[in-house]
Amino acid sequence: MSISIAIDGPAGAGKSTISRKVSAALGYIYVDTGALYRSIALTLNQQKIAPEETPKIESALHNTDIRLEFIDGEQHVFLNDRDVSGEIRTAEVSMLASKYSARPEVRAYLLSLQRKIAAEHNVIMDGRDIGTVVLPNATLKIFLTADAEDRAQRRYEEMLQRGQSADYETVLADIKKRDYDDSHRAIAPLKPAEDAILVNTTGNTLEQSVKQLSDVILQNLNKGE
Ligand code: DC
């Protein structure tokens, strides 16, 4: 049976950067489920379908093919055969993804895809509801968080590094809004699974956070053997 490590937590907690490094060290596939929600939000928005237009969303999803490929260990998302991995990394798509991801039809559409990947590979899968909904029987569940100010600072620096223009206060306000919306939606809200291990990386450098998470994972995987 494949091993699955569920990592949930709010936006900007460093889930993707840390999980990518830890999964490379363990030889697991790293699945960033936020990229799936971002890609769906991108296509629905491009088709001018609003989050409340359920029948239109259902029919658009029916005609949407979304696929993950792992190229040199890096996840790429293909939306109807077009690689949108770069296009989905904007502040606008972040906010759209948070909105569309509250829709039950969007969540149902992505659920089986996520479960299928986890059944076929050893994975570290990150998201908001992996330990609570997608993989309730995951080998190990982690809830990774940090203070909003710390997360905003990281996001802000990442955006500058990518050459995007950014303003710290706007990034912080966006993070707080997404925290609120993601944890107050009716379906699969962001919350730690009852059996999740809480890891708080506030004040840590990236290297310290990677070490902290790797240690927690290795200690707990060994315990289960
Ligand atoms: O992790 P991220 O910032 O790329 O996620 C973008 C949005 O997608 C996030 O605000 C909420 C949603 N999301 C979700 O609802 N469930 C997941 N498993 C992953 C992301």
Side-chain angles (χ1 to χ4, degrees), residues 33-34 37-38 97-98 101 107 127-130 178 182 185:
T33 62
Y37 287 93
R38 287 168 180 267
S98 184
S101 68
R107 304 206 72 83
R128 303 292 188 286
D129 62 336
I130 309 304
R178 276 216 285 155
D182 292 348
R185 67 183 176 218

Side-chain angles (χ1 to χ4, degrees), residues 42-105:
L42 180 74
T43 181
L44 293 176
N45 185 56
Q46 281 173 346
Q47 295 175 65
K48 304 207 177 338
I49 301 173
E52 46 291 334
E53 293 183 296
T54 304
K56 282 195 188 171
I57 292 183
E58 280 170 345
S59 89
L61 291 177
H62 191 70
N63 296 311
T64 301
D65 176 54
I66 188 157
R67 177 166 57 81
L68 292 184
E69 268 190 36
F70 301 92
I71 305 171
D72 295 331
E74 273 297 301
Q75 170 182 295
H76 289 251
V77 204
F78 288 84
L79 187 65
N80 298 328
D81 287 329
R82 193 164 60 89
D83 187 346
V84 293
S85 313
E87 223 175 302
I88 56 174
R89 298 285 153 205
T90 64
E92 190 201 356
V93 176
S94 303
M95 296 312 279
L96 288 170
S98 184
K99 283 207 182 87
Y100 287 102
S101 68
R103 307 305 304 175
E105 56 282 6

